[in-house]
Amino acid sequence: MDKRSPAVLDGPVDLRRESDLEAAYRAHGAELHRFAARALRDEGAAGDVVQEVFVRAWRNAERYDPSIASMRVWLFGIARNAVIDHVRRARSRPGDRSPTDPGDLADLAEGRDAGRAGDAFSDDLVTTWLLEDALGRLGPEQRSAVVETYLRGRPYAEVATEQSVAVGTLRSRVFYGLKNLRQIMDDMGAVL
């Protein structure tokens, strides 16, 4: 087995080669598993989804173009589709529900949540999961500033007082937090 580091994935990659596929798995497998586990709320199903992601990546290796997206973004796109496929498959077998009941997610996928279109699952819900993951990668001060002011819509003065900082400091944290959040989301292939 080739002990290539994840950094090697930045160069020419051919996922039809076992060593490149293993390097991609070492670099991104755990993160893809967390994404799938959060989406499905089922560790076993998440493992199946990750396996499916790498099978699809291996089968479609010729479609990967590093000039369009990073390996990570490409694999997350495959994972997003694999999660949706898993939920739809689970829904099509009503007597064979998992303990976490992916039927709830299937209802979202089919647009039965608040009467939204079927793309609501693939766009809004997955973007929300990615946003939660991205927020977790911000430092605690920036995360708190962004969540309280930008996402919850609270006044800057109120939040600054609560956090015992100047309003200018809070504004700076929000500015740089949003800048970092956009970069993280871009790296994940999601739009904020």
Side-chain angles (χ1 to χ4, degrees):
M1 178 161 80
D2 186 357
K3 298 292 184 191
R4 295 171 59 172
S5 69
V8 174
L9 291 175
D10 293 334
V13 175
D14 183 358
L15 292 178
R16 292 170 290 202
R17 288 193 306 240
E18 185 177 345
S19 60
D20 284 357
L21 190 62
E22 287 174 0
Y25 179 80
R26 281 193 307 275
H28 306 292
E31 189 174 22
L32 289 166
H33 187 273
R34 284 190 303 274
F35 167 75
R38 175 176 278 162
L40 299 170
R41 293 182 175 91
D42 181 343
E43 290 292 322
D48 293 343
V49 165
V50 172
Q51 181 178 359
E52 180 64 22
V53 166
F54 284 97
V55 167
R56 289 181 188 184
W58 174 71
R59 286 183 181 154
N60 297 297
E62 70 281 351
R63 291 184 181 174
Y64 172 62
D65 184 355
S67 67
I68 295 175
S70 68
M71 175 64 64
R72 184 175 181 275
V73 169
W74 188 65
L75 290 172
F76 263 92
I78 295 171
R80 175 181 159 269
N81 292 334
V83 165
I84 291 169
D85 291 346
H86 178 83
V87 169
R88 288 183 176 156
R89 264 192 314 274
R91 185 184 180 285
S92 71
R93 295 174 285 185
D96 189 26
R97 297 282 177 134
S98 73
T100 57
D101 196 13
D104 297 337
L105 293 175
D107 288 343
L108 290 171
E110 297 299 323
R112 286 182 281 225
D113 182 45
R116 296 187 311 192
D119 287 339
F121 176 81
S122 62
D123 293 337
D124 297 342
L125 192 57
V126 173
T127 299
T128 300
W129 292 329
L130 290 172
L131 179 60
E132 287 178 9
D133 189 38
L135 281 168
R137 295 174 190 211
L138 288 178
E141 293 171 342
Q142 287 182 355
R143 179 177 47 248
S144 176
V146 168
V147 168
E148 295 301 321
T149 60
Y150 190 80
L151 297 177
R152 292 190 176 149
R154 293 180 58 202
Y156 279 83
E158 180 182 311
V159 175
T161 301
E162 185 178 283
Q163 295 184 1
S164 302
V165 297
V167 173
T169 301
L170 182 67
R171 288 186 184 279
S172 180
R173 288 177 182 173
V174 170
F175 175 80
Y176 287 108
L178 288 173
K179 184 176 178 181
N180 292 336
L181 190 62
R182 283 186 187 104
Q183 182 60 50
I184 292 167
M185 296 289 285
D186 285 346
D187 291 345
M188 294 173 122
V191 178
L192 179 60

